[in-house]
Amino acid sequence: MPDLDLDAPETPPTAVAQLAAAELVRRTGVERHDIALTLGSGWGRAAERLGEIVARVPADEVPGFTASGIPGHSGQLTSIRLANGLHALVIGARTHFYEGRGVRRVVHSVRTAAAAGAKVMVLTNGAGGIDPSWSPGTPVLISDHINLTAASPLEGATFIDVTDLYSSRLRALAREVDPSLDEGVYVQFRGPQFETPAEVRMARTMGGTIVGMSTALEAIAAREAGVEVFGISLITNLAAGISDSPLNHEEVLEAGRNAEEHLAGLLSRIVGRIAESVA
């Protein structure tokens, strides 16, 4: 296997993604993964419901990946055979921008999914809710985002249209599964500190309704790669200043644990519907 440094400026990041995809073929025996999912906080058990697990690969054994150091992430890449015979790649090793490894590392999983053949990228996360009607445990579709990281995964004079970045077609399919699903605008902050009440007020003034520390950069990279994007957030807590409760990561994990059974069933049904549409 060629030795390519993902972090070297002269290395095309898509070349490392191709290496990673080739290693996944070797380790899983699956030539093509049609759908990819990044499972954030609260969404991990969904992998168990999607279908037959073909293989689990430690992420740090695949080019360009590192083991996740964030609680709630499995650190594995899992190949799953869906009911209709398509294959899903479940990414349990998200790299967050606040880890300081650079944007290439943040979006490497998405580029690998595209190189592995994925037509659809499902991005999930645990996030804070600005809408006070969303209690912890509420799933919310992402209709758009505001990127406040001051960064982009695009390099050079790369201009792409992100008007319908979070596919309206896929959101409609999700509502066929659960018509009660609400939607909102996701605001990605750099982190790792939680947002201040003033920052949440700013996000709300800008049109944001969900705040978090992931997803937007990944979605942009997926669009660049020609992959259709479906995003869904688990509201783990009300954002700072929306309620009087202090914020902590254990609260995020607890909300995910309490909701995981419902989320697993919901996401497996949505992915099944998406798989029917791409078969």
Side-chain angles (χ1 to χ4, degrees):
M1 180 179 298
D3 184 16
L4 289 178
D5 181 3
L6 177 60
D7 302 315
E10 66 274 13
T11 300
T14 51
V16 185
Q18 290 288 348
L19 284 180
E23 180 66 6
L24 285 174
V25 172
R26 188 182 76 81
R27 297 287 292 270
T28 66
V30 176
E31 290 293 328
R32 178 187 181 92
H33 286 89
D34 308 276
I35 298 173
L37 304 90
T38 295
L39 298 184
S41 299
W43 296 93
R45 285 195 61 185
E48 303 170 7
R49 298 284 196 89
L50 295 177
E52 176 191 353
I53 295 177
V54 176
R56 297 184 190 270
V57 182
D60 57 2
E61 296 178 9
V62 178
F65 284 88
T66 53
S68 177
I70 309 303
H73 297 264
S74 72
Q76 294 183 320
L77 307 178
T78 304
S79 177
I80 296 177
R81 183 178 296 109
L82 303 176
N84 67 348
L86 299 185
H87 288 86
L89 176 65
V90 176
I91 299 162
R94 171 179 265 156
T95 296
H96 294 79
F97 191 48
Y98 56 72
E99 295 178 60
R101 293 175 174 153
V103 180
R104 284 187 173 189
R105 294 277 175 176
V106 171
V107 303
H108 177 62
S109 58
V110 172
R111 287 174 170 150
T112 297
K119 299 177 182 177
V120 171
M121 187 75 221
V122 176
L123 298 171
T124 73
N125 58 60
I130 296 178
D131 187 331
S133 70
W134 294 337
S135 58
T138 301
V140 178
L141 303 176
I142 301 175
S143 61
D144 204 344
H145 79 229
I146 299 170
N147 175 15
L148 294 183
T149 67
S152 171
L154 307 182
E155 300 181 16
T158 304
F159 306 104
I160 61 172
D161 178 29
V162 289
T163 302
D164 188 30
L165 177 53
Y166 298 88
S167 169
S168 56
R169 182 186 79 87
L170 297 180
R171 295 203 309 277
L173 292 179
R175 286 202 181 89
E176 291 179 9
V177 173
D178 183 351
S180 71
L181 285 170
D182 207 347
E183 67 178 35
V185 175
Y186 184 91
V187 183
Q188 180 176 354
F189 286 84
R190 292 176 67 100
Q193 72 281 352
F194 289 109
E195 302 77 25
T196 68
E199 289 170 338
V200 170
R201 290 195 299 272
M202 175 188 71
R204 180 169 54 191
T205 300
M206 296 169 71
T209 50
I210 311 165
V211 292
M213 306 173 194
S214 67
T215 303
L217 297 174
E218 296 162 321
I220 295 168
R223 168 54 61 86
E224 179 191 22
V227 178
E228 195 173 11
V229 178
F230 174 76
I232 186 168
S233 294
L234 164 66
I235 302 303
T236 57
N237 55 275
L238 291 178
I242 304 300
S243 79
D244 296 329
S245 300
L247 305 181
N248 61 78
H249 191 60
E250 180 54 38
E251 178 185 44
V252 172
L253 296 178
E254 182 180 2
R257 287 191 293 267
N258 292 339
E260 62 185 359
E261 189 65 29
H262 170 64
L263 296 177
L266 173 65
L267 191 60
S268 65
R269 294 193 301 275
I270 291 174
V271 170
R273 186 69 188 86
I274 291 173
E276 292 172 1
S277 77
V278 301

